[in-house]
Amino acid sequence: DLNLAASFCDILILLDQGKIVAQGTPQQVLTETIIKQVFNVQVHIDQQPYNQQLRISFKLTNIK
């Protein structure tokens, strides 16, 4: 769960098919561009209002 990782981890290493794609703080690793590249999903990233941690929301696309 990306939101749990953002809330509880100081350092993250993101792998894609066994290769390191990004490493660093949650703010450095969990960006809209990197998440799109690795998971092929659109997200919106902001801050949780009560603790200022990253909050990742998945965008719904192609809804008719």
Short mmCIF file of all heavy atoms in Angstrom, two decimals:
data_model
loop_
_atom_site.label_atom_id
_atom_site.label_comp_id
_atom_site.label_asym_id
_atom_site.label_seq_id
_atom_site.Cartn_x
_atom_site.Cartn_y
_atom_site.Cartn_z
N ASP A 1 0.85 -1.17 0.00
CA ASP A 1 0.00 0.00 0.00
C ASP A 1 0.89 1.23 0.00
O ASP A 1 1.66 1.46 0.94
CB ASP A 1 -0.90 -0.04 1.22
CG ASP A 1 -1.90 1.09 1.26
OD1 ASP A 1 -1.47 2.26 1.34
OD2 ASP A 1 -3.10 0.81 1.24
N LEU A 2 0.78 2.03 -1.03
CA LEU A 2 1.64 3.20 -1.17
C LEU A 2 1.39 4.24 -0.10
O LEU A 2 2.33 4.91 0.35
CB LEU A 2 1.47 3.81 -2.56
CG LEU A 2 1.84 2.91 -3.73
CD1 LEU A 2 1.59 3.62 -5.05
CD2 LEU A 2 3.27 2.44 -3.64
N ASN A 3 0.15 4.39 0.34
CA ASN A 3 -0.15 5.36 1.39
C ASN A 3 0.45 4.94 2.72
O ASN A 3 0.95 5.78 3.47
CB ASN A 3 -1.66 5.58 1.52
CG ASN A 3 -2.18 6.47 0.42
OD1 ASN A 3 -1.75 7.60 0.28
ND2 ASN A 3 -3.09 5.95 -0.38
N LEU A 4 0.43 3.65 3.03
CA LEU A 4 1.08 3.18 4.26
C LEU A 4 2.58 3.40 4.19
O LEU A 4 3.20 3.83 5.17
CB LEU A 4 0.76 1.70 4.50
CG LEU A 4 -0.64 1.38 5.00
CD1 LEU A 4 -0.83 -0.13 5.08
CD2 LEU A 4 -0.89 2.02 6.34
N ALA A 5 3.17 3.09 3.05
CA ALA A 5 4.61 3.30 2.90
C ALA A 5 4.95 4.78 3.07
O ALA A 5 5.92 5.12 3.75
CB ALA A 5 5.06 2.81 1.53
N ALA A 6 4.14 5.65 2.50
CA ALA A 6 4.39 7.09 2.63
C ALA A 6 4.26 7.55 4.07
O ALA A 6 4.98 8.45 4.51
CB ALA A 6 3.41 7.87 1.75
N SER A 7 3.36 6.94 4.83
CA SER A 7 3.12 7.36 6.21
C SER A 7 4.15 6.83 7.20
O SER A 7 4.49 7.51 8.17
CB SER A 7 1.73 6.90 6.67
OG SER A 7 0.73 7.57 5.96
N PHE A 8 4.66 5.62 6.96
CA PHE A 8 5.48 4.97 7.99
C PHE A 8 6.94 4.78 7.63
O PHE A 8 7.73 4.40 8.49
CB PHE A 8 4.88 3.61 8.35
CG PHE A 8 3.55 3.73 9.04
CD1 PHE A 8 2.38 3.42 8.37
CD2 PHE A 8 3.47 4.19 10.34
CE1 PHE A 8 1.15 3.54 9.00
CE2 PHE A 8 2.24 4.31 10.97
CZ PHE A 8 1.09 3.99 10.31
N CYS A 9 7.33 5.04 6.40
CA CYS A 9 8.72 4.81 6.00
C CYS A 9 9.47 6.13 5.84
O CYS A 9 8.93 7.10 5.33
CB CYS A 9 8.77 4.04 4.68
SG CYS A 9 8.04 2.40 4.77
N ASP A 10 10.73 6.11 6.26
CA ASP A 10 11.59 7.27 6.06
C ASP A 10 12.29 7.21 4.71
O ASP A 10 12.53 8.23 4.07
CB ASP A 10 12.65 7.36 7.16
CG ASP A 10 12.04 7.59 8.53
OD1 ASP A 10 11.03 8.32 8.62
OD2 ASP A 10 12.56 7.03 9.51
N ILE A 11 12.64 5.99 4.29
CA ILE A 11 13.34 5.76 3.03
C ILE A 11 12.62 4.64 2.29
O ILE A 11 12.24 3.63 2.88
CB ILE A 11 14.81 5.34 3.26
CG1 ILE A 11 15.56 6.44 4.02
CG2 ILE A 11 15.51 5.01 1.95
CD1 ILE A 11 15.75 7.73 3.25
N LEU A 12 12.44 4.81 0.97
CA LEU A 12 11.79 3.80 0.14
C LEU A 12 12.71 3.41 -1.00
O LEU A 12 13.49 4.23 -1.49
CB LEU A 12 10.49 4.33 -0.47
CG LEU A 12 9.38 4.75 0.48
CD1 LEU A 12 8.25 5.39 -0.31
CD2 LEU A 12 8.88 3.56 1.24
N ILE A 13 12.61 2.16 -1.41
CA ILE A 13 13.24 1.69 -2.65
C ILE A 13 12.13 1.09 -3.48
O ILE A 13 11.45 0.16 -3.05
CB ILE A 13 14.33 0.64 -2.37
CG1 ILE A 13 15.45 1.26 -1.54
CG2 ILE A 13 14.88 0.08 -3.69
CD1 ILE A 13 16.52 0.27 -1.11
N LEU A 14 11.92 1.64 -4.68
CA LEU A 14 10.86 1.17 -5.55
C LEU A 14 11.47 0.32 -6.65
O LEU A 14 12.38 0.78 -7.36
CB LEU A 14 10.09 2.36 -6.15
CG LEU A 14 8.91 2.02 -7.05
CD1 LEU A 14 7.84 1.23 -6.28
CD2 LEU A 14 8.32 3.29 -7.62
N LEU A 15 10.99 -0.92 -6.76
CA LEU A 15 11.49 -1.85 -7.76
C LEU A 15 10.47 -2.04 -8.86
O LEU A 15 9.27 -2.02 -8.63
CB LEU A 15 11.77 -3.22 -7.12
CG LEU A 15 12.75 -3.27 -5.96
CD1 LEU A 15 12.78 -4.66 -5.36
CD2 LEU A 15 14.13 -2.85 -6.42
N ASP A 16 10.97 -2.28 -10.07
CA ASP A 16 10.13 -2.65 -11.20
C ASP A 16 10.83 -3.80 -11.91
O ASP A 16 11.91 -3.62 -12.47
CB ASP A 16 9.92 -1.48 -12.14
CG ASP A 16 8.94 -1.78 -13.27
OD1 ASP A 16 8.21 -2.79 -13.17
OD2 ASP A 16 8.91 -1.01 -14.23
N GLN A 17 10.25 -4.97 -11.84
CA GLN A 17 10.80 -6.19 -12.41
C GLN A 17 12.23 -6.43 -11.93
O GLN A 17 13.12 -6.77 -12.69
CB GLN A 17 10.72 -6.14 -13.93
CG GLN A 17 9.28 -6.09 -14.41
CD GLN A 17 9.14 -6.25 -15.90
OE1 GLN A 17 10.04 -6.75 -16.57
NE2 GLN A 17 8.00 -5.86 -16.41
N GLY A 18 12.44 -6.22 -10.63
CA GLY A 18 13.72 -6.51 -10.00
C GLY A 18 14.76 -5.42 -10.12
O GLY A 18 15.86 -5.55 -9.60
N LYS A 19 14.44 -4.33 -10.80
CA LYS A 19 15.40 -3.24 -10.96
C LYS A 19 14.95 -2.04 -10.14
O LYS A 19 13.77 -1.72 -10.10
CB LYS A 19 15.51 -2.84 -12.44
CG LYS A 19 16.09 -3.95 -13.29
CD LYS A 19 16.21 -3.51 -14.72
CE LYS A 19 16.76 -4.69 -15.54
NZ LYS A 19 16.75 -4.40 -16.96
N ILE A 20 15.91 -1.37 -9.53
CA ILE A 20 15.61 -0.18 -8.74
C ILE A 20 15.23 0.96 -9.68
O ILE A 20 16.00 1.33 -10.57
CB ILE A 20 16.80 0.23 -7.85
CG1 ILE A 20 17.08 -0.86 -6.82
CG2 ILE A 20 16.53 1.58 -7.18
CD1 ILE A 20 18.31 -0.60 -5.97
N VAL A 21 14.03 1.49 -9.48
CA VAL A 21 13.54 2.62 -10.28
C VAL A 21 13.79 3.92 -9.54
O VAL A 21 14.16 4.93 -10.15
CB VAL A 21 12.02 2.45 -10.55
CG1 VAL A 21 11.45 3.66 -11.27
CG2 VAL A 21 11.77 1.19 -11.34
N ALA A 22 13.60 3.91 -8.23
CA ALA A 22 13.79 5.12 -7.43
C ALA A 22 14.09 4.72 -5.99
O ALA A 22 13.64 3.68 -5.52
CB ALA A 22 12.54 5.99 -7.48
N GLN A 23 14.85 5.56 -5.33
CA GLN A 23 15.10 5.38 -3.90
C GLN A 23 15.28 6.74 -3.27
O GLN A 23 15.74 7.67 -3.90
CB GLN A 23 16.31 4.49 -3.64
CG GLN A 23 17.62 5.01 -4.16
CD GLN A 23 18.75 4.02 -3.95
OE1 GLN A 23 18.54 2.83 -3.82
NE2 GLN A 23 19.97 4.52 -3.93
N GLY A 24 14.82 6.83 -2.03
CA GLY A 24 14.91 8.10 -1.31
C GLY A 24 13.73 8.25 -0.37
O GLY A 24 13.10 7.27 0.03
N THR A 25 13.42 9.48 -0.04
CA THR A 25 12.29 9.75 0.85
C THR A 25 10.99 9.48 0.10
O THR A 25 10.99 9.43 -1.14
CB THR A 25 12.30 11.22 1.29
OG1 THR A 25 12.08 12.05 0.15
CG2 THR A 25 13.61 11.59 1.99
N PRO A 26 9.88 9.31 0.82
CA PRO A 26 8.61 9.12 0.13
C PRO A 26 8.30 10.25 -0.85
O PRO A 26 7.79 10.00 -1.94
CB PRO A 26 7.59 9.09 1.28
CG PRO A 26 8.36 8.54 2.43
CD PRO A 26 9.73 9.13 2.28
N GLN A 27 8.66 11.48 -0.54
CA GLN A 27 8.42 12.61 -1.44
C GLN A 27 9.23 12.48 -2.72
O GLN A 27 8.79 12.90 -3.79
CB GLN A 27 8.75 13.94 -0.75
CG GLN A 27 7.81 14.30 0.37
CD GLN A 27 8.13 13.60 1.69
OE1 GLN A 27 9.11 12.88 1.82
NE2 GLN A 27 7.27 13.79 2.67
N GLN A 28 10.42 11.89 -2.64
CA GLN A 28 11.27 11.71 -3.82
C GLN A 28 10.83 10.53 -4.67
O GLN A 28 10.93 10.58 -5.89
CB GLN A 28 12.72 11.50 -3.39
CG GLN A 28 13.36 12.71 -2.74
CD GLN A 28 14.69 12.37 -2.11
OE1 GLN A 28 14.86 11.33 -1.50
NE2 GLN A 28 15.66 13.27 -2.27
N VAL A 29 10.35 9.48 -4.02
CA VAL A 29 10.03 8.23 -4.72
C VAL A 29 8.59 8.20 -5.21
O VAL A 29 8.32 7.76 -6.34
CB VAL A 29 10.32 7.02 -3.81
CG1 VAL A 29 9.85 5.72 -4.44
CG2 VAL A 29 11.81 6.95 -3.48
N LEU A 30 7.66 8.65 -4.41
CA LEU A 30 6.25 8.52 -4.74
C LEU A 30 5.75 9.79 -5.43
O LEU A 30 5.03 10.59 -4.86
CB LEU A 30 5.44 8.21 -3.48
CG LEU A 30 5.82 6.91 -2.79
CD1 LEU A 30 5.04 6.73 -1.50
CD2 LEU A 30 5.63 5.72 -3.72
N THR A 31 6.14 9.93 -6.68
CA THR A 31 5.69 11.06 -7.49
C THR A 31 4.69 10.56 -8.52
O THR A 31 4.65 9.36 -8.83
CB THR A 31 6.87 11.74 -8.21
OG1 THR A 31 7.40 10.83 -9.19
CG2 THR A 31 7.96 12.16 -7.23
N GLU A 32 3.90 11.46 -9.06
CA GLU A 32 2.93 11.07 -10.08
C GLU A 32 3.61 10.44 -11.28
O GLU A 32 3.14 9.44 -11.83
CB GLU A 32 2.10 12.29 -10.50
CG GLU A 32 1.20 12.79 -9.39
CD GLU A 32 0.43 14.05 -9.75
OE1 GLU A 32 0.46 14.46 -10.92
OE2 GLU A 32 -0.22 14.60 -8.86
N THR A 33 4.76 10.97 -11.68
CA THR A 33 5.48 10.46 -12.85
C THR A 33 6.02 9.05 -12.61
O THR A 33 5.86 8.16 -13.45
CB THR A 33 6.65 11.41 -13.20
OG1 THR A 33 6.12 12.71 -13.45
CG2 THR A 33 7.41 10.91 -14.41
N ILE A 34 6.64 8.83 -11.46
CA ILE A 34 7.21 7.51 -11.17
C ILE A 34 6.12 6.46 -11.00
O ILE A 34 6.24 5.34 -11.50
CB ILE A 34 8.14 7.58 -9.93
CG1 ILE A 34 9.37 8.43 -10.26
CG2 ILE A 34 8.54 6.18 -9.47
CD1 ILE A 34 10.26 8.72 -9.07
N ILE A 35 5.04 6.81 -10.32
CA ILE A 35 3.94 5.85 -10.13
C ILE A 35 3.32 5.50 -11.48
O ILE A 35 3.02 4.34 -11.74
CB ILE A 35 2.91 6.41 -9.14
CG1 ILE A 35 3.53 6.47 -7.74
CG2 ILE A 35 1.64 5.55 -9.13
CD1 ILE A 35 2.69 7.20 -6.71
N LYS A 36 3.17 6.47 -12.37
CA LYS A 36 2.64 6.20 -13.71
C LYS A 36 3.57 5.27 -14.47
O LYS A 36 3.14 4.32 -15.13
CB LYS A 36 2.45 7.52 -14.47
CG LYS A 36 2.13 7.37 -15.92
CD LYS A 36 0.75 6.80 -16.15
CE LYS A 36 0.43 6.81 -17.64
NZ LYS A 36 -0.70 5.98 -17.97
N GLN A 37 4.86 5.51 -14.37
CA GLN A 37 5.87 4.70 -15.07
C GLN A 37 5.85 3.25 -14.60
O GLN A 37 5.87 2.33 -15.40
CB GLN A 37 7.25 5.30 -14.84
CG GLN A 37 8.40 4.50 -15.38
CD GLN A 37 9.75 5.07 -14.93
OE1 GLN A 37 9.85 6.23 -14.53
NE2 GLN A 37 10.77 4.26 -15.00
N VAL A 38 5.78 3.03 -13.29
CA VAL A 38 5.89 1.68 -12.73
C VAL A 38 4.56 0.93 -12.73
O VAL A 38 4.51 -0.24 -13.10
CB VAL A 38 6.49 1.74 -11.30
CG1 VAL A 38 6.46 0.37 -10.63
CG2 VAL A 38 7.91 2.28 -11.34
N PHE A 39 3.49 1.61 -12.31
CA PHE A 39 2.21 0.92 -12.12
C PHE A 39 1.20 1.20 -13.24
O PHE A 39 0.13 0.60 -13.28
CB PHE A 39 1.59 1.33 -10.78
CG PHE A 39 2.43 0.93 -9.60
CD1 PHE A 39 3.18 1.88 -8.93
CD2 PHE A 39 2.47 -0.38 -9.17
CE1 PHE A 39 3.96 1.53 -7.83
CE2 PHE A 39 3.25 -0.75 -8.08
CZ PHE A 39 4.00 0.21 -7.42
N ASN A 40 1.52 2.13 -14.13
CA ASN A 40 0.65 2.50 -15.24
C ASN A 40 -0.73 2.94 -14.78
O ASN A 40 -1.75 2.52 -15.32
CB ASN A 40 0.55 1.38 -16.28
CG ASN A 40 0.01 1.87 -17.59
OD1 ASN A 40 0.20 3.02 -17.96
ND2 ASN A 40 -0.69 1.00 -18.30
N VAL A 41 -0.76 3.77 -13.74
CA VAL A 41 -2.01 4.36 -13.24
C VAL A 41 -1.79 5.85 -13.02
O VAL A 41 -0.68 6.31 -12.75
CB VAL A 41 -2.49 3.71 -11.91
CG1 VAL A 41 -2.88 2.26 -12.12
CG2 VAL A 41 -1.46 3.83 -10.81
N GLN A 42 -2.87 6.60 -13.16
CA GLN A 42 -2.84 8.04 -12.89
C GLN A 42 -3.18 8.27 -11.43
O GLN A 42 -4.12 7.67 -10.92
CB GLN A 42 -3.87 8.76 -13.77
CG GLN A 42 -3.60 8.67 -15.24
CD GLN A 42 -2.44 9.56 -15.66
OE1 GLN A 42 -2.14 10.57 -15.04
NE2 GLN A 42 -1.77 9.17 -16.72
N VAL A 43 -2.42 9.12 -10.77
CA VAL A 43 -2.68 9.43 -9.37
C VAL A 43 -2.62 10.93 -9.15
O VAL A 43 -2.09 11.69 -9.96
CB VAL A 43 -1.66 8.74 -8.42
CG1 VAL A 43 -1.77 7.23 -8.50
CG2 VAL A 43 -0.25 9.20 -8.68
N HIS A 44 -3.21 11.34 -8.04
CA HIS A 44 -3.09 12.71 -7.55
C HIS A 44 -2.42 12.62 -6.19
O HIS A 44 -2.81 11.79 -5.36
CB HIS A 44 -4.47 13.36 -7.42
CG HIS A 44 -4.41 14.69 -6.78
ND1 HIS A 44 -3.91 15.80 -7.42
CD2 HIS A 44 -4.75 15.10 -5.54
CE1 HIS A 44 -3.96 16.83 -6.60
NE2 HIS A 44 -4.47 16.44 -5.45
N ILE A 45 -1.42 13.43 -5.97
CA ILE A 45 -0.69 13.40 -4.71
C ILE A 45 -0.85 14.74 -4.01
O ILE A 45 -0.62 15.80 -4.61
CB ILE A 45 0.80 13.07 -4.93
CG1 ILE A 45 0.93 11.68 -5.57
CG2 ILE A 45 1.56 13.15 -3.61
CD1 ILE A 45 2.34 11.29 -5.94
N ASP A 46 -1.27 14.68 -2.75
CA ASP A 46 -1.35 15.88 -1.92
C ASP A 46 -0.95 15.49 -0.50
O ASP A 46 -0.32 14.45 -0.31
CB ASP A 46 -2.73 16.51 -1.98
CG ASP A 46 -3.86 15.60 -1.50
OD1 ASP A 46 -3.60 14.44 -1.11
OD2 ASP A 46 -5.02 16.04 -1.52
N GLN A 47 -1.30 16.30 0.48
CA GLN A 47 -0.95 16.01 1.87
C GLN A 47 -2.20 15.72 2.68
O GLN A 47 -3.23 16.38 2.49
CB GLN A 47 -0.22 17.19 2.51
CG GLN A 47 1.16 17.41 1.96
CD GLN A 47 1.85 18.56 2.67
OE1 GLN A 47 1.22 19.48 3.16
NE2 GLN A 47 3.16 18.49 2.72
N GLN A 48 -2.07 14.73 3.57
CA GLN A 48 -3.17 14.47 4.51
C GLN A 48 -3.29 15.69 5.43
O GLN A 48 -2.28 16.21 5.90
CB GLN A 48 -2.87 13.22 5.34
CG GLN A 48 -2.77 11.96 4.53
CD GLN A 48 -2.44 10.76 5.39
OE1 GLN A 48 -2.50 10.81 6.62
NE2 GLN A 48 -2.08 9.68 4.76
N PRO A 49 -4.50 16.14 5.68
CA PRO A 49 -4.66 17.37 6.46
C PRO A 49 -4.27 17.25 7.93
O PRO A 49 -3.86 18.23 8.53
CB PRO A 49 -6.15 17.69 6.33
CG PRO A 49 -6.80 16.44 5.88
CD PRO A 49 -5.76 15.63 5.17
N TYR A 50 -4.35 16.06 8.50
CA TYR A 50 -4.10 15.95 9.94
C TYR A 50 -2.65 15.68 10.30
O TYR A 50 -2.23 15.99 11.41
CB TYR A 50 -5.01 14.89 10.58
CG TYR A 50 -4.79 13.49 10.06
CD1 TYR A 50 -3.92 12.63 10.70
CD2 TYR A 50 -5.46 13.04 8.93
CE1 TYR A 50 -3.71 11.36 10.22
CE2 TYR A 50 -5.26 11.76 8.45
CZ TYR A 50 -4.38 10.93 9.10
OH TYR A 50 -4.17 9.67 8.61
N ASN A 51 -1.85 15.10 9.40
CA ASN A 51 -0.45 14.83 9.76
C ASN A 51 0.55 15.27 8.70
O ASN A 51 1.74 15.05 8.84
CB ASN A 51 -0.24 13.35 10.10
CG ASN A 51 -0.42 12.44 8.90
OD1 ASN A 51 -0.61 12.89 7.78
ND2 ASN A 51 -0.38 11.15 9.16
N GLN A 52 0.06 15.88 7.63
CA GLN A 52 0.90 16.42 6.56
C GLN A 52 1.72 15.37 5.81
O GLN A 52 2.67 15.71 5.11
CB GLN A 52 1.82 17.53 7.09
CG GLN A 52 1.10 18.65 7.80
CD GLN A 52 -0.03 19.25 6.97
OE1 GLN A 52 0.17 19.60 5.83
NE2 GLN A 52 -1.20 19.35 7.54
N GLN A 53 1.38 14.09 5.95
CA GLN A 53 2.04 13.03 5.19
C GLN A 53 1.48 13.01 3.77
O GLN A 53 0.41 13.55 3.50
CB GLN A 53 1.81 11.66 5.85
CG GLN A 53 2.38 11.52 7.23
CD GLN A 53 3.89 11.49 7.24
OE1 GLN A 53 4.54 11.13 6.28
NE2 GLN A 53 4.47 11.89 8.36
N LEU A 54 2.22 12.38 2.86
CA LEU A 54 1.72 12.24 1.49
C LEU A 54 0.42 11.45 1.47
O LEU A 54 0.25 10.51 2.24
CB LEU A 54 2.73 11.50 0.62
CG LEU A 54 4.00 12.21 0.22
CD1 LEU A 54 4.83 11.31 -0.68
CD2 LEU A 54 3.72 13.51 -0.47
N ARG A 55 -0.47 11.84 0.57
CA ARG A 55 -1.70 11.09 0.35
C ARG A 55 -1.81 10.87 -1.15
O ARG A 55 -1.77 11.82 -1.93
CB ARG A 55 -2.90 11.86 0.87
CG ARG A 55 -4.23 11.17 0.57
CD ARG A 55 -5.40 11.86 1.20
NE ARG A 55 -5.50 13.26 0.80
CZ ARG A 55 -6.36 14.11 1.32
NH1 ARG A 55 -7.19 13.74 2.27
NH2 ARG A 55 -6.39 15.37 0.91
N ILE A 56 -1.94 9.61 -1.53
CA ILE A 56 -2.01 9.24 -2.93
C ILE A 56 -3.44 8.79 -3.23
O ILE A 56 -3.95 7.87 -2.61
CB ILE A 56 -1.02 8.11 -3.24
CG1 ILE A 56 0.40 8.57 -2.91
CG2 ILE A 56 -1.13 7.67 -4.71
CD1 ILE A 56 1.41 7.47 -2.82
N SER A 57 -4.06 9.46 -4.19
CA SER A 57 -5.41 9.12 -4.61
C SER A 57 -5.35 8.68 -6.07
O SER A 57 -4.72 9.35 -6.89
CB SER A 57 -6.35 10.33 -4.49
OG SER A 57 -6.35 10.80 -3.17
N PHE A 58 -6.01 7.61 -6.38
CA PHE A 58 -6.02 7.10 -7.75
C PHE A 58 -7.11 7.79 -8.54
O PHE A 58 -8.23 7.94 -8.09
CB PHE A 58 -6.21 5.58 -7.75
CG PHE A 58 -5.05 4.88 -7.11
CD1 PHE A 58 -5.09 4.55 -5.77
CD2 PHE A 58 -3.94 4.58 -7.84
CE1 PHE A 58 -4.00 3.93 -5.16
CE2 PHE A 58 -2.85 3.96 -7.26
CZ PHE A 58 -2.88 3.64 -5.92
N LYS A 59 -6.74 8.25 -9.75
CA LYS A 59 -7.70 8.92 -10.63
C LYS A 59 -8.46 7.87 -11.42
O LYS A 59 -7.87 6.94 -11.96
CB LYS A 59 -6.98 9.84 -11.58
CG LYS A 59 -6.30 11.02 -10.92
CD LYS A 59 -5.63 11.89 -11.96
CE LYS A 59 -4.92 13.05 -11.34
NZ LYS A 59 -4.23 13.88 -12.34
N LEU A 60 -9.74 8.04 -11.51
CA LEU A 60 -10.56 7.17 -12.32
C LEU A 60 -10.63 7.76 -13.72
O LEU A 60 -10.92 8.93 -13.89
CB LEU A 60 -11.96 7.03 -11.73
CG LEU A 60 -12.03 6.44 -10.32
CD1 LEU A 60 -13.47 6.45 -9.83
CD2 LEU A 60 -11.48 5.03 -10.31
N THR A 61 -10.34 6.94 -14.72
CA THR A 61 -10.36 7.40 -16.09
C THR A 61 -11.30 6.55 -16.92
O THR A 61 -11.66 5.43 -16.54
CB THR A 61 -8.95 7.35 -16.72
OG1 THR A 61 -8.48 6.00 -16.66
CG2 THR A 61 -7.99 8.27 -15.98
N ASN A 62 -11.70 7.07 -18.03
CA ASN A 62 -12.57 6.37 -18.98
C ASN A 62 -13.91 5.97 -18.37
O ASN A 62 -14.43 4.91 -18.69
CB ASN A 62 -11.87 5.14 -19.56
CG ASN A 62 -10.62 5.52 -20.33
OD1 ASN A 62 -10.56 6.59 -20.91
ND2 ASN A 62 -9.64 4.67 -20.32
N ILE A 63 -14.45 6.80 -17.50
CA ILE A 63 -15.76 6.52 -16.94
C ILE A 63 -16.81 7.16 -17.83
O ILE A 63 -16.70 8.34 -18.19
CB ILE A 63 -15.88 7.06 -15.49
CG1 ILE A 63 -14.89 6.33 -14.60
CG2 ILE A 63 -17.30 6.91 -14.97
CD1 ILE A 63 -14.88 6.84 -13.18
N LYS A 64 -17.81 6.40 -18.21
CA LYS A 64 -18.87 6.91 -19.08
C LYS A 64 -20.17 6.97 -18.35
O LYS A 64 -20.48 6.24 -17.50
CB LYS A 64 -19.00 6.05 -20.31
CG LYS A 64 -17.73 6.11 -21.15
CD LYS A 64 -17.89 5.25 -22.38
CE LYS A 64 -16.60 5.32 -23.19
NZ LYS A 64 -16.67 4.58 -24.40
#
